[in-house]
């Protein structure tokens, strides 16, 4: 059995390992952000604040600037225990909110989440919100990528 002492050239690759791991993680994070980011444009992200623990509504415009169809599958936020996608419709003389499992956005198209139509239903606040606050909401896509968007809290009269 030979007893050998490690030389500086043997140790150098081990010291570079953390740098290599950090570099690989940065590349993976950039690729993930690119997949859901540059081709996905979010505008006019806002929340309609209501009193008490009433459910709130989140509105925004999602534009697909990419070459492939985007499929929005849901949303989540640390500010709410539950976030759901809904569509307000008028059926048989009644206004109803129907759950939406996913929404597809063709390349070059925009979908609008607005009062009287599609919206995020924000349920059970985890903290008190005030007009002017900024709330992070993470949009989930079928591709497995997420996009965090800051929603501005507005009064009950926002459109």
């Amino acid at each position: 059995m030979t007893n050998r002492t490690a030389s500086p050239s043997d140790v150098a690759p081990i010291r570079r390992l953390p740098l290599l791991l950090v570099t690989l993680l940065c590349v993976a994070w950039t690729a993930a952000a690119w997949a859901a980011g540059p081709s996905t444009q979010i505008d006019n992200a806002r929340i309609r604040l209501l009193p008490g623990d009433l459910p709130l509504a989140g509105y925004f415009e999602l534009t697909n600037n990419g070459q492939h169809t985007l499929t929005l599958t849901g949303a989540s936020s640390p500010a709410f225990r539950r976030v759901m996608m809904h569509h307000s419709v008028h059926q048989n003389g009644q206004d109803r909110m129907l759950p939406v499992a996913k929404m597809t956005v063709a390349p070059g198209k925009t979908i609008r989440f607005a009062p009287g139509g599609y919206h995020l239903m924000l349920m059970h606040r985890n903290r008190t919100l005030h007009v002017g606050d900024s709330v992070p909401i993470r949009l989930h896509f079928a591709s497995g990528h997420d996009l965090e968007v800051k929603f501005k809290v507005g009064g009950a009269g926002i459109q």
Side-chain angles (χ1 to χ4, degrees):
M1 181 184 250
T2 305
N3 217 356
R4 182 173 170 247
T5 304
S7 70
S9 63
D10 292 334
V11 175
I14 294 171
R15 287 187 183 154
R16 282 183 261 186
L17 186 59
L19 179 60
L20 177 63
L21 288 174
V22 168
T23 302
L24 288 173
L25 286 173
C26 286
V27 168
W29 179 82
T30 302
W34 181 262
S39 65
T40 306
Q41 179 180 331
I42 305 295
D43 293 302
N44 204 16
R46 63 216 185 274
I47 294 173
R48 182 187 307 188
L49 184 62
L50 297 174
D53 195 32
L54 291 172
L56 307 182
Y59 308 117
F60 61 99
E61 296 160 10
L62 187 156
T63 302
N64 181 357
N65 293 319
Q67 298 178 1
H68 304 285
T69 298
L70 281 176
T71 302
L72 180 64
T73 59
S76 61
S77 173
F80 301 93
R81 277 188 268 158
R82 190 162 186 202
V83 178
M84 299 175 290
M85 293 190 303
H86 278 169
H87 186 211
S88 295
V89 296
H90 188 77
Q91 290 180 332
N92 302 324
Q94 293 184 350
D95 290 323
R96 299 179 51 183
M97 281 189 290
L98 303 175
V100 175
K102 64 182 177 178
M103 295 186 68
T104 57
V105 187
K109 299 296 182 185
T110 298
I111 57 170
R112 287 176 178 75
F113 282 63
Y118 292 104
H119 60 278
L120 296 178
M121 182 61 68
L122 309 167
M123 312 267 303
H124 309 292
R125 293 172 232 185
N126 289 324
R127 63 181 175 96
T128 302
L129 298 176
H130 304 301
V131 171
D133 285 353
S134 181
V135 176
I137 295 180
R138 186 170 294 275
L139 302 176
H140 307 293
F141 295 90
S143 64
H145 296 99
D146 293 343
L147 182 63
E148 185 169 297
V149 179
K150 298 291 184 181
F151 280 64
K152 186 84 167 179
V153 177
I158 69 164
Q159 293 295 318

